[in-house]
Amino acid sequence: MTEHRILIVSHGHPDHSKGGAEVAAYNLFKEYERQGLDTVFLARTDQPSHGGSAFSTINSNKEILFHTHMSDFFLFQSGCKKHVWQEFRALLKRYKPTVVHFHHYIHMGLELIREVRNTLPDARLVVTLHEYLAICANNGQMVKPGKQMKLCYKSSPTDCAHCFPDRSAADFFLREKYIKSIFNLVDMFVSPSHFLIERYKVWGIPEEKMVMIENGQPEIETPASRPLAEGEGRGRFAFFGQINPFKGVDVLLEAFKLLPEDLQEKVHLDIHGANLQGQTEEFQEKILRLLEDLGDLVTLHGSYESHEIGRLMEQADWVIIPSVWWENSPMVIQEAFNHGRPLIGSDIGGMVEKISDNISGYHFRNGSSNSLKQAILKACGEGSSWNLIASNIPKPLTISECADKHMGIYHG
């Protein structure tokens, strides 16, 4: 088999942006680097560059920051066309990758995909879909705009125009045609969940051009369960991720507020998350009010680094994913499984696909704090089945196995 030169493109570098897609892309890059393959990681950044250059390096000359931006979030078009047809094109000609693997196009522009096909017509072009941006103009969430956060089951130009009255159905029809014209240039799409594949299949991507590969995890020895004090139960819960309306942190806090007072004295919630200050004033006030009401029952820790996840997981008994949108494959699910921690998750999207109810964790009704309360009661009540559930947790795909599966796609 031909040994490839691989260019992995991400919308952010984990040193600057902590999202799961950024981490998944970077982990794949580091694994190929560990295997001695010729690999470059190109990550977009919003930080200003030195001297106005489009590129700079970070950590090594194999990790390149792309100082660019988008000007059109409706059509995902670059805000600096010169970065596409001059700087990015020059990078492609200089490095001559045989594989270009996009883990996102947001903040950079869909034009980069077309530029790869124009400049390197023989390169293998792969795109990992981490959400539904191409389908849904509401931040790719497939959630109706408004306070109700109503889930959307299928898009159409007419329905989308109802969500965005300032746009016509014709606007959405042309948007879909434009995005599909770019996607037609792609050789293969990767999705970390079957759920997302089904959504894109209905939208129009041929099933034979899509494959499910879970996000790989580093190989570790599963840590022991958290040591318990005499008479203590498995009542330590944790949330990991961004604090925004889509992640359901308000649902989580309201569920803990509903717990009986005697149980509140026996449990604790640790929230490991950032970006609360970047949300609307109304949402911030809601979260801060709930935190104040709950007092010592909840600890807000702020952001964390990727290398800290093991230590933080070891301090928890259960990990809760209360997202109110169709999560594709939250990285925290695989991280929790890798560390032997059962999960409690919303019963929609990739969450219900990854978490087996009453086997590797519990489901609760999406958006319902009362249903989540019941799951918490089941998790730490009398006769808790924590040991049985922990023993049923599947070992996730390792990063080396994940890299091998991608290599099969690269070879076509």
Side-chain angles (χ1 to χ4, degrees), residues 332-371:
V332 69
I333 290 181
Q334 304 306 315
E335 290 170 336
F337 284 167
N338 209 26
H339 291 87
R341 296 311 185 251
L343 285 139
I344 299 173
S346 302
D347 61 350
I348 57 170
M351 295 171 287
V352 75
E353 176 183 324
K354 308 292 181 181
I355 305 167
S356 298
D357 197 25
N358 293 303
I359 298 176
S360 58
Y362 297 123
H363 299 162
F364 69 92
R365 193 169 74 254
N366 172 53
S368 171
S369 54
N370 188 60
S371 180

Side-chain angles (χ1 to χ4, degrees), residues 85-349:
W85 58 259
Q86 185 165 309
E87 279 87 356
F88 183 64
R89 181 185 296 175
L91 184 147
L92 294 174
K93 288 182 174 180
R94 180 179 179 182
Y95 180 50
K96 292 185 175 63
T98 59
V99 175
V100 181
H101 185 169
F102 286 87
H103 270 263
H104 239 304
Y105 45 83
I106 190 77
H107 300 305
M108 298 176 288
L110 275 170
E111 301 102 317
L112 295 183
I113 295 175
R114 189 182 296 279
E115 187 59 46
V116 171
R117 182 54 73 223
N118 289 343
T119 305
L120 302 171
D122 297 325
R124 187 77 167 159
L125 187 45
V126 178
V127 173
T128 294
L129 299 167
H130 289 281
E131 56 353 73
Y132 317 96
L133 278 169
I135 304 175
C136 176
N138 188 22
N139 298 311
Q141 306 287 334
M142 295 201 76
V143 174
K144 303 281 187 181
K147 293 183 180 180
Q148 297 301 315
M149 306 282 288
K150 187 178 179 182
L151 293 174
C152 177
Y153 289 81
K154 185 181 177 181
S155 71
S156 74
T158 302
D159 288 343
C160 293
H162 284 310
C163 287
F164 296 92
D166 58 325
R167 299 274 187 181
S168 68
D171 289 334
F172 282 98
F173 174 80
L174 293 172
R175 176 186 189 270
E176 181 179 329
K177 291 296 182 185
Y178 169 69
I179 295 174
K180 285 180 175 177
S181 74
I182 301 288
F183 278 12
N184 285 338
L185 305 174
V186 176
D187 293 305
M188 205 71 188
F189 293 92
V190 177
S191 164
S193 76
H194 292 292
F195 180 85
L196 185 139
I197 286 178
E198 286 302 312
R199 282 293 167 98
Y200 273 97
K201 187 169 72 173
V202 170
W203 184 69
I205 296 181
E207 186 174 10
E208 62 271 16
K209 289 186 70 171
M210 294 184 285
V211 63
M212 200 284 275
I213 302 178
E214 186 53 83
N215 295 319
Q217 295 296 307
E219 293 186 62
I220 63 166
E221 186 174 337
T222 304
S225 56
R226 182 179 66 87
L228 300 178
E230 187 174 350
E232 184 186 7
R234 292 283 171 201
R236 194 92 188 190
F237 298 82
F239 167 89
F240 297 86
Q242 304 291 319
I243 301 179
N244 62 48
F246 298 111
K247 292 295 185 179
V249 176
D250 51 343
V251 176
L252 174 59
L253 294 174
E254 286 165 352
F256 270 81
K257 193 174 177 181
L258 291 173
L259 293 174
E261 287 187 13
D262 60 331
L263 185 59
Q264 287 184 352
E265 297 174 0
K266 300 176 183 177
V267 299
H268 190 82
L269 171 64
D270 292 292
I271 296 181
H272 303 281
N275 290 344
L276 176 60
Q277 68 278 6
Q279 308 307 313
T280 65
E281 187 175 331
E282 182 182 10
F283 181 76
Q284 289 187 56
E285 288 176 355
K286 182 180 183 180
I287 296 298
L288 293 174
R289 185 171 60 251
L290 285 165
L291 287 170
E292 185 177 354
D293 291 345
L294 289 164
D296 295 338
L297 182 58
V298 180
T299 302
L300 182 62
H301 296 275
S303 63
Y304 60 93
E305 300 296 327
S306 298
H307 67 268
E308 297 178 294
I309 192 72
R311 175 179 60 82
L312 299 176
M313 287 276 182
E314 289 177 24
Q315 297 169 9
D317 299 314
W318 303 86
V319 175
I320 301 182
I321 305 178
S323 294
V324 296
W325 75 288
W326 313 99
E327 290 271 16
N328 168 28
S329 182
M331 183 69 80
V332 69
I333 290 181
Q334 304 306 315
E335 290 170 336
F337 284 167
N338 209 26
H339 291 87
R341 296 311 185 251
L343 285 139
I344 299 173
S346 302
D347 61 350
I348 57 170

Side-chain angles (χ1 to χ4, degrees), residues 375-395:
I376 294 169
L377 290 173
K378 192 192 304 187
C380 58
E382 290 296 323
S384 170
S385 55
W386 189 91
N387 288 330
L388 177 61
I389 287 179
S391 69
N392 288 332
I393 291 173
K395 230 4 187 169

